[in-house]
Amino acid sequence: MSDAKQPDVGGGPIIGIDLGTTNSLVAYCDASGPRMLADDEGRVMLPSVVRFDPSRGGPPGACLDAIGHAARAHAIEYPGSTIFSAKRLMGRGIEDMADELAYLPYEVVAGEHNTARVRISSEGGGTELIVSPPQISALILLELRRYAEARLGVPVRRAVVTVPAYFDDAQRQATRDAGRIAGLDVLRIVNEPTAAALAYNLGQRHDDATVAVYDLGGGTFDISILRLQLAGQTLVDQVLATDGNTHLGGDDVDRMIIELIQREIRAQFFPGISGKDADNGAGSFTPATLQAMRNFAEATKIKLSTDERADIEIDLPGVGRYQRTITRGEFEQMIAPWVDRTIDCCRRALQSAGLETADIERVILVGGSTRIPMVRNRVSQWFDTQVYTALDPDQVVALGAAAQASILAGINRDMLLLDVIPLSLGIETMGGAVAKIITANTTIPARVTEMFSTYVDEQTNVNIHVLQGERELVKDCRSLGQFDLRGIPAMPAGLPKIEVTFLVDANGILSVTAVERRSEKAAQIQIVPNHGLTRQEVSRMEAQSVAHAKQDMAAHQLIDLRNQSRMDVRAIERQLAKVGDEIGDDYRGQIEAHVAAVRQLLDMPDPDPTVFHEALDTMDKAAVRLAEIAIRQSLREGSSPM
């Protein structure tokens, strides 16, 4: 291994890498925007875990036994030779690691200049391997480089790599060293919060933007306050303040759930056993059971991010079955102190920066643990602003690194949403049609609200499918995302009032909110509308909409006619069932004939829209007297004495 700087080979793609404590990712940005690069199984996240077998002999690369998913899956079986969280060791002295060592199952020793090294011994002893943190990180970077070369089909030698904002010069140099060992020329080291802001294109529209980046991952929490300014083609950041906790993350939530399960199992199956007796005697748990608990705890946490309840069932051999339902309310009460600790860090960071919450223009969420609804709500409430969640919180740093890489590569990264919305935005309606809510060429920022309702009686959930494009049918437009509005009170079709609001802010971020006004149930999603489209693709989509305008409108009209016909037929049939005995046979026969004519058109694959419209109109007009009779009967029933 040589410390000589590898020359810049020139040319070729520049990739963006998020070298993370728990997981690492690689992305690439071209004219259509940044995108993640996956392994052969389609996975974009590489666990930052490696396992060594010193008995093989030679340098660390020759002793590598497993990396990523394979190494993490067997970490419990090989605790002393499986290395994780190497990022915490980067550029650190052995004295700096005193508080960290209790959390690490592998051995950390002093190396050259008293720097931290990892010592791995072979099973049975006799052979050992001393490896530096940059060498460990280099193996992870090399694996990501392989991902990139496989996906891009060309050699990759240059990269932008991200680091935490609080990394000092020694830690940053250690990161560069890791890149050099992996055969990468690290052109730039970018702060992780700056990369997150760059992924959202923040700072590109403002002379001086003040941004908070709330990064809550699996094991660590960081809050960074940044001042962003665009200087030429470079996004210049000034880190005003950072705070956080290197042992605060989603793992703590898993641990809380595990401890709850263990307490209740002991209370249910081993009453009276506690303390050392519980750890060593009848109330102890096997490694397999502990692993099962970890899996159930993580699955429960994830499920409660979307559902109101999660069920847990654990078979205890020779003991019985433990069953438990955890509600979101109970879960949120459990984790409230954990969330409060992150808010305390935010408070200290703002104080250090000499700012108030009103001074923060945008808040970006980073890290998988920010998917927890309570986290998003508390952060939004505390900063008194809507948080940015449009990009995957696990991927946003890598995407930002790729965006910075594309700038260095000279790729034109002008955002498509600079002044106007280039393509219409809307939602899917029944039958596969698109209801356009914000039309193309609307100036941003823009806000539009429209009312919708349900199509099926007693419907309690509504799926909101957000689309982009100029065509009239869902199949011809680009899907941007979907979310569910749940818990609507059961009512007849058409009665719920669902208010859908599209808001595109000055940075081109689309927020879609749906609220059922009778119950005030609400749900929302954030999206980057033009992510992955070039200007040429937008022009092509616009041209297609013009070329197919006539047939698209005819298809949309037929969908609307079918939807309206089905609703009207159902209403008429309900009225006939209710008051059919009060009308003459002739009139009833007329109504039934009109309904049959409409049903016949509904069954046809491609009915004439004009004929269909006339049949529907005739049926509706004929049924007016029937509706009046049904209303009068309802009024009589409502005024009858008790």
Side-chain angles (χ1 to χ4, degrees):
M1 180 180 68
S2 171
D3 287 334
K5 186 179 187 306
Q6 176 180 317
D8 182 357
V9 298
I14 307 175
I15 56 175
I17 293 177
D18 174 8
L19 181 61
T21 305
T22 307
N23 293 289
S24 296
L25 306 93
V26 59
Y28 177 68
C29 183
D30 54 20
S32 63
R35 66 181 185 276
M36 301 305 304
L37 302 178
D39 66 7
D40 293 337
E41 296 183 38
R43 300 172 298 196
V44 299
M45 288 201 295
L46 173 72
S48 302
V49 185
V50 296
R51 185 174 74 241
F52 294 101
D53 180 2
S55 66
R56 296 182 178 183
C63 295
L64 181 66
D65 195 32
I67 189 168
H69 297 277
R72 186 176 64 179
H74 299 281
I76 294 176
E77 301 167 48
Y78 305 96
S81 58
T82 301
I83 315 303
F84 59 88
S85 297
K87 184 174 177 177
R88 289 179 175 169
L89 308 178
M90 296 281 280
R92 307 286 297 280
I94 193 68
E95 313 86 26
D96 302 328
M97 298 302 301
D99 295 335
E100 303 277 344
L101 299 184
Y103 295 91
L104 302 175
Y106 50 83
E107 187 179 7
V108 179
V109 298
E112 187 179 357
H113 305 301
N114 220 30
T115 54
R117 296 285 191 274
V118 176
R119 179 162 59 196
I120 305 108
S121 299
S122 60
E123 290 190 28
T127 310
E128 70 174 25
L129 175 69
I130 303 293
V131 59
S132 70
Q135 288 174 311
I136 297 168
S137 294
L139 294 171
I140 297 168
L141 290 173
L142 184 58
E143 188 72 2
L144 293 174
R145 176 184 159 193
R146 291 193 186 104
Y147 284 13
E149 291 181 335
R151 300 285 82 77
L152 299 177
V154 294
V156 173
R157 297 291 183 270
R158 302 185 294 172
V160 169
V161 180
T162 62
V163 297
Y166 59 79
F167 258 29
D168 60 22
D169 288 342
Q171 291 168 305
R172 291 167 191 266
Q173 185 56 49
T175 304
R176 286 189 182 276
D177 292 342
R180 186 164 60 248
I181 296 167
L184 287 170
D185 185 10
V186 179
L187 300 181
R188 186 159 299 178
I189 296 287
V190 178
N191 289 335
E192 289 167 1
T194 304
L198 188 58
Y200 278 106
N201 204 42
L202 301 184
Q204 303 281 5
R205 305 174 190 282
H206 306 287
D207 293 335
D208 199 353
T210 305
V211 176
V213 180
Y214 178 102
D215 186 350
L216 183 59
T220 62
F221 171 69
D222 299 300
I223 176 68
S224 299
I225 311 298
L226 312 176
R227 184 162 288 137
L228 305 173
Q229 189 172 19
L230 189 65
Q233 282 192 308
T234 303
L235 184 64
V236 179
D237 72 283
Q238 178 186 2
V239 180
L240 302 181
T242 64
D243 206 295
N245 188 324
T246 57
H247 295 291
L248 181 66
D251 293 346
D252 299 300
V253 176
D254 297 343
R255 195 174 302 116
M256 282 184 252
I257 297 173
I258 291 170
E259 289 171 354
L260 171 67
I261 294 171
Q262 291 178 343
R263 284 196 307 270
E264 293 186 345
I265 287 177
R266 284 170 175 154
Q268 180 178 345
F269 298 106
F270 309 104
I273 297 177
S274 61
K276 291 183 179 179
D277 292 334
D279 294 331
N280 302 315
S284 62
F285 301 101
T286 66
T289 302
L290 288 172
Q291 185 59 49
M293 288 180 182
R294 291 187 184 94
N295 293 342
F296 278 118
E298 184 178 17
T300 297
K301 174 183 67 179
I302 293 170
K303 187 173 178 60
L304 289 171
S305 291
T306 56
D307 297 348
E308 293 296 326
R309 54 192 293 137
D311 297 323
I312 302 174
E313 291 187 12
I314 301 177
D315 285 321
L316 302 166
V319 177
R321 170 175 288 190
Y322 169 79
Q323 294 178 296
R324 177 71 147 88
T325 296
I326 299 180
T327 65
R328 182 180 288 182
E330 182 182 6
F331 174 70
E332 291 183 344
Q333 185 176 9
M334 181 192 307
I335 68 171
W338 172 76
V339 179
D340 289 342
R341 289 171 64 191
T342 71
I343 298 299
D344 289 340
C345 295
C346 296
R347 184 178 292 107
R348 290 195 299 268
L350 274 185
Q351 289 173 348
S352 298
L355 299 174
E356 303 289 339
T357 54
D359 298 319
I360 303 299
E361 296 177 46
R362 296 287 183 270
V363 179
I364 301 171
L365 297 189
V366 180
S369 296
T370 62
R371 289 188 175 90
I372 298 174
M374 185 183 189
V375 171
R376 295 188 172 190
N377 293 337
R378 285 282 282 117
V379 175
S380 180
Q381 290 167 5
W382 194 80
F383 280 101
D384 194 26
T385 187
Q386 186 178 11
V387 294
Y388 269 14
T389 60
L391 298 176
D392 187 315
D394 288 318
Q395 300 177 10
V396 63
V397 170
L399 292 170
Q404 177 64 60
S406 74
I407 294 173
L408 296 178
I411 297 171
N412 182 7
R413 282 203 65 255
D414 288 344
M415 290 291 288
L416 293 170
L417 287 178
L418 288 178
D419 302 304
V420 299
I421 295 169
L423 292 170
S424 297
L425 302 168
I427 65 171
E428 179 178 358
T429 58
M430 190 66 188
V434 179
K436 294 175 183 174
I437 294 181
I438 298 184
T439 57
N441 296 317
T442 299
T443 303
I444 64 168
R447 181 189 185 100
V448 178
T449 298
E450 289 197 14
M451 298 297 296
F452 296 88
S453 191
T454 54
Y455 180 74
V456 179
D457 291 338
E458 312 301 310
Q459 186 174 345
T460 58
N461 293 338
V462 174
N463 178 261
I464 310 292
H465 185 191
V466 184
L467 298 145
Q468 178 184 43
E470 299 308 309
R471 304 287 294 274
E472 297 297 322
L473 303 182
V474 170
K475 66 181 182 67
D476 298 317
C477 289
R478 185 168 179 258
S479 175
L480 296 180
Q482 301 185 47
F483 66 102
D484 290 325
L485 176 60
R486 300 173 181 267
I488 301 171
M491 290 181 273
L495 195 56
K497 295 182 177 180
I498 302 172
E499 184 179 271
V500 177
T501 299
F502 275 45
L503 171 64
V504 181
D505 70 12
N507 292 294
I509 306 301
L510 167 64
S511 297
V512 181
T513 304
V515 182
E516 202 289 302
R517 282 305 175 195
R518 295 179 187 273
S519 62
E520 292 302 313
K521 293 288 184 179
Q524 72 163 15
I525 192 173
Q526 272 190 1
I527 297 164
V528 181
N530 286 87
H531 190 64
L533 288 180
T534 64
R535 292 185 183 276
Q536 292 74 22
E537 287 171 317
V538 171
S539 299
R540 176 177 53 79
M541 293 170 75
E542 289 174 336
Q544 286 177 340
S545 72
V546 174
H548 298 279
K550 187 174 181 180
Q551 65 226 58
D552 284 355
M553 288 303 298
H556 196 154
Q557 183 184 11
L558 268 178
I559 290 172
D560 290 343
L561 284 168
R562 290 183 190 278
N563 291 341
Q564 189 63 50
S565 296
R566 291 189 181 103
M567 291 183 67
D568 291 356
V569 165
R570 283 201 302 267
I572 291 170
E573 288 177 338
R574 282 197 300 265
Q575 291 164 356
L576 282 172
K578 184 175 183 179
V579 299
D581 295 339
E582 297 185 22
I583 62 176
D585 291 342
D586 289 345
Y587 181 47
R588 184 184 182 110
Q590 291 175 23
I591 295 292
E592 290 175 342
H594 291 311
V595 169
V598 170
R599 280 196 174 280
Q600 184 180 11
L601 289 164
L602 277 169
D603 292 337
M604 293 174 61
D606 192 22
D608 184 294
T610 302
V611 174
F612 201 158
H613 184 273
E614 290 175 353
L616 175 61
D617 187 54
T618 301
M619 180 186 72
D620 288 343
K621 288 178 179 177
V624 169
R625 185 156 64 91
L626 176 66
E628 292 172 348
I629 294 170
I631 292 170
R632 284 199 297 269
Q633 186 188 79
S634 296
L635 291 173
R636 287 197 303 270
E637 292 172 351
S639 61
S640 298
M642 298 293 290

